[in-house]
Amino acid sequence: MRTIWGLLLIGAASFYPFFQTDAFNFLSTDTSVYAEAAEKHIEGPLKLDVILEREYLDGEVSQETIEETIWTLEDFWAKYDQWQLVDMDIDYMVFRRKMDDISPLLKANGYFGITEDGTLTIFNGRPQKTNIIQSFFQIDLGKLESTKCEELKKGIPIVTKDRYVEVLETFKSYTAGEKQAN
């Protein structure tokens, strides 16, 4: 019986240095060593380019690039919580947002007009063949009142989202090929 206890005591004593050293606790010490090393490599805040894409009702997409300094990720994500992340890389992020408005281009210089074949079109400036921005649908010129036809030939300035929607709705009823209900 003494030999059994003696062997157990010697066996336990031989494993004591293994448990006593940090060799057994490698998970906790190595992880903290790696974390400390990572912290030492990061010096100051993270800087990257943020590209903001605004998609307007008229289909226009504008881009703005901002150099961001990120102090905390929580603040960064809160700043762009109304935007959708669409692309990212190590030195940039692209966010997109659908705007409930028309583009600044249309507000500044957009005109509704009509092409030679009767298609309702948006022009950059007064209606001409070469400055088409967007085409919509063909209008039945036979149903169109002469005053409205003259307005379209001269060009109807867009200026606001409400005006954009109003003109589209007004001329939808004159669409070629559609039959009107009596």
Side-chain angles (χ1 to χ4, degrees):
M1 184 72 147
R2 281 185 177 189
T3 54
I4 293 176
W5 282 108
L7 289 173
L8 284 174
L9 188 58
I10 292 171
S14 65
F15 282 109
Y16 179 77
F18 180 73
F19 289 110
Q20 184 66 23
T21 64
D22 286 339
F24 187 70
N25 299 324
F26 67 92
L27 289 175
S28 62
T29 57
D30 281 354
T31 324
S32 64
V33 168
Y34 290 129
E36 285 176 29
E39 285 177 14
K40 288 179 184 174
H41 288 14
I42 298 174
E43 296 176 13
L46 176 64
K47 291 186 182 205
L48 57 89
D49 287 333
V50 173
I51 301 166
L52 301 175
E53 292 182 345
R54 291 174 179 88
E55 188 176 342
Y56 295 94
L57 292 175
D58 54 288
E60 187 74 22
V61 177
S62 69
Q63 281 191 342
E64 175 185 5
T65 302
I66 302 169
E67 185 180 56
E68 275 287 352
T69 302
I70 302 173
W71 295 93
T72 67
L73 285 176
E74 185 176 291
D75 291 342
F76 175 77
W77 289 115
K79 184 175 181 178
Y80 296 104
D81 68 341
Q82 300 295 312
W83 296 78
Q84 179 184 6
L85 179 66
V86 293
D87 192 17
M88 66 185 281
D89 201 345
I90 194 151
D91 55 351
Y92 72 88
M93 291 181 131
V94 180
F95 290 98
R96 182 173 290 154
R97 184 176 186 181
K98 293 190 183 281
M99 306 302 289
D100 187 26
D101 201 359
I102 59 173
S103 66
L105 172 67
L106 288 191
K107 287 180 180 180
N109 209 29
Y111 285 81
F112 274 105
I114 194 165
T115 59
E116 288 177 8
D117 69 348
T119 302
L120 182 66
T121 303
I122 293 178
F123 295 88
N124 184 11
R126 298 251 178 219
Q128 295 175 5
K129 291 180 185 178
T130 58
N131 57 357
I132 294 173
I133 295 175
Q134 184 178 13
S135 296
F136 293 95
F137 45 81
Q138 197 161 10
I139 293 175
D140 184 348
L141 298 174
K143 291 192 292 183
L144 192 62
E145 301 159 18
S146 61
T147 56
K148 289 190 181 194
C149 188
E150 284 305 311
E151 273 186 82
L152 284 173
K153 286 180 182 178
K154 289 181 184 176
I156 302 170
I158 298 173
V159 185
T160 66
K161 172 191 165 192
D162 292 338
R163 182 71 169 158
Y164 174 82
V165 171
E166 175 191 339
V167 171
L168 281 177
E169 291 300 317
T170 298
F171 289 102
K172 252 186 198 168
S173 59
Y174 298 102
T175 302
E178 279 189 14
K179 294 182 180 176
Q180 297 292 321
N182 294 349

